[in-house]
């Protein structure tokens, strides 16, 4: 099944909800997230994994009825829980599954095979369930492009800063009190810049969407907007929320501003007029505008049409 089947699915701001919390899952309809991610992995203690699987499975029909994409996150392959998690959630109520700690294209192939078997048993069309892998280890960053290209099911990839930092043996800014881990206002945490950029570039090259890591300080709206803005500048199309209070800031940051829209319209109008007169590069408000600038303006307007 071609990736185009997933192109209409908006994952600009997916909201994580602990998979063992039926009370929180039951409130999902109150929140304007672009998608819901019942989490059976990191937000659930090992002792509660079976409970999370059962609660998530029971809640999927009601989440589906909310009209937003549902993308359960299952436990990673090395836990030995993946297959049972997939058996519990694969069905007509989800559009994809998310899975953490993917390291190689071979990991994707293994998950793809599991899904194919479960689709047959469930009577689903082959390839109808997508895969959203988390790239959050050094191996995953090195293998980012092959992972993105490993299956037609992969339509999105996510960068996971927390596990990446642990795998690299480095601290994040939230770990250091009264110290400096190398944060630059324009580029965020220096230790994450290469990996974050590598995921975005690999995703673009593979024609999939990149989603940025959650921002763990859920009461720090300014910090969230700064980090989301960085992710957008690097080429990410969205960012995960771990708290409903983060949804508004993420959604706004990844949407074109009115100023961006107005500028894009001016550029496209001037470029279309110039093309009709046989001109190439033109001057728009003191800015030289050529083909790449026009292409970026059209990208902005494509985003606007997608939101309409």
């Amino acid at each position: 099944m071609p990736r185009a089947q997933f192109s209409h699915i908006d994952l600009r701001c997916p909201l994580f909800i602990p998979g063992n919390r039926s009370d929180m899952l039951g409130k999902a309809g109150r929140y304007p997230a672009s998608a819901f991610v019942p989490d059976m992995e990191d937000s659930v203690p090992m002792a509660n994994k079976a409970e999370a699987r059962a609660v998530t499975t029971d809640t999927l029909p009601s989440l589906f009825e909310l009209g937003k994409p549902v993308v359960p996150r299952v436990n990673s392959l090395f836990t030995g829980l993946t297959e049972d998690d997939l058996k519990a959630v694969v069905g007509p109520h989800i559009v994809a599954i998310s899975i953490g700690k993917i390291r190689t294209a071979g990991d994707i192939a293994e998950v793809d095979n599991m899904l194919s078997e479960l689709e047959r048993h469930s009577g689903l069309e082959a390839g109808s369930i997508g895969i959203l892998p988390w790239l959050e280890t050094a191996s995953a960053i090195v293998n980012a492009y092959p992972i993105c290209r490993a299956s037609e099911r992969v339509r999105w990839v996510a960068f996971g800063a927390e596990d990446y930092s642990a795998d690299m043996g480095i601290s994040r800014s939230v770990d250091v009190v009264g110290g400096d881990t190398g944060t630059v206002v324009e580029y965020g945490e220096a230790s994450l810049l290469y990996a974050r950029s590598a995921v975005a570039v690999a995703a673009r090259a593979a024609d999939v969407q990149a989603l940025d890591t959650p921002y763990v300080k859920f009461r720090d709206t300014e910090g969230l907007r700064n980090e989301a803005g960085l992710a957008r500048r690097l080429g990410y199309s969205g960012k995960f929320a771990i708290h409903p209070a983060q949804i508004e800031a993420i959604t706004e940051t990844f949407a074109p501003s009115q100023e961006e829209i107005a500028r894009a319209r001016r550029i496209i109008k001037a470029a279309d007029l110039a093309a009709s007169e046989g001109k190439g590069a033109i001057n728009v408000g003191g800015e030289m505008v050529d083909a790449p600038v026009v292409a970026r303006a059209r990208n902005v307007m494509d985003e606007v049409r997608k939101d309409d």
Side-chain angles (χ1 to χ4, degrees):
M1 185 71 63
R3 284 194 174 98
Q5 69 161 322
F6 300 116
S7 62
H8 66 287
I9 297 173
D10 178 14
L11 295 190
R12 179 178 299 172
C13 182
L15 175 65
F16 271 120
I17 306 175
N20 62 331
R21 294 290 303 273
S22 58
D23 56 333
M24 296 176 71
L25 288 164
K27 297 175 183 177
R30 302 179 184 181
Y31 311 127
S34 65
F36 298 114
V37 184
D39 185 22
M40 297 182 282
E41 194 201 21
D42 285 348
S43 63
V44 179
M46 185 58 68
N48 300 109
K49 296 293 187 183
E51 176 192 5
R53 185 184 298 145
V55 170
T56 296
T57 303
D58 289 344
T59 311
L60 290 180
S62 60
L63 289 176
F64 174 79
E65 290 298 323
L66 297 175
K68 302 287 184 68
V70 181
V71 186
R73 183 162 72 166
V74 302
N75 288 282
S76 55
L77 289 169
F78 75 84
T79 66
L81 300 172
T82 308
E83 188 169 7
D84 286 340
D85 285 348
L86 291 176
K87 287 178 180 177
V89 301
V90 168
H93 301 122
I94 69 172
V95 300
I97 61 94
S98 180
I99 182 166
K101 301 174 183 65
I102 291 294
R103 297 169 184 267
T104 67
D107 290 345
I108 294 294
E110 186 173 347
V111 177
D112 193 319
N113 288 336
M114 292 181 189
L115 288 173
S116 294
E117 183 67 21
L118 290 169
E119 285 168 341
R120 284 193 292 271
H121 283 295
S122 302
L124 298 176
E125 183 180 357
S128 59
I129 303 296
I131 300 175
L132 195 170
W134 284 77
L135 310 189
E136 46 192 350
T137 65
S139 295
I141 300 306
V142 171
N143 293 307
Y145 181 71
I147 289 170
C148 290
R149 294 293 298 168
S151 169
E152 292 293 333
R153 297 180 187 272
V154 178
R155 187 62 188 85
W156 323 267
V157 291
F159 171 56
E162 300 300 320
D163 281 295
Y164 170 76
S165 299
D167 187 57
M168 290 292 292
I170 58 179
S171 297
R172 296 205 61 193
S173 60
V174 295
D175 302 323
V176 179
V177 179
D180 183 8
T181 56
T183 298
V184 181
V185 173
E186 179 68 12
Y187 299 113
E189 294 176 65
S191 60
L192 301 179
L193 183 58
Y194 170 74
R196 188 179 251 132
S197 300
V199 171
V201 172
R204 175 64 67 176
D207 192 27
V208 304
Q209 297 178 37
L211 302 174
D212 193 37
T213 190
Y215 187 73
V216 296
K217 295 181 179 180
F218 58 85
R219 292 189 176 90
D220 178 12
T221 303
E222 181 180 0
L224 170 62
R225 288 185 182 275
N226 288 339
E227 187 170 273
L230 166 64
R232 187 182 176 208
R233 292 194 300 276
L234 291 177
Y236 284 79
S237 60
K239 187 176 181 67
F240 281 86
I242 57 171
H243 191 280
Q246 297 181 318
I247 295 171
E248 181 179 357
I250 293 173
T251 301
E252 289 179 353
T253 301
F254 282 95
S257 67
Q258 292 304 309
E259 292 79 6
E260 288 176 293
I261 295 169
R263 177 177 178 272
R265 284 176 173 154
R266 288 195 301 271
I267 289 172
I268 293 170
K269 181 178 180 180
D272 289 345
L273 176 61
S276 69
E277 298 173 348
K279 298 177 182 178
I282 55 174
N283 181 330
V284 179
E287 175 187 358
M288 188 196 78
V289 172
D290 56 6
V293 179
V294 176
R296 294 199 299 272
R298 295 194 190 281
N299 288 340
V300 170
M301 297 312 299
D302 285 344
E303 284 296 310
V304 173
R305 283 188 286 273
K306 189 190 307 181
D307 290 340
D308 288 342

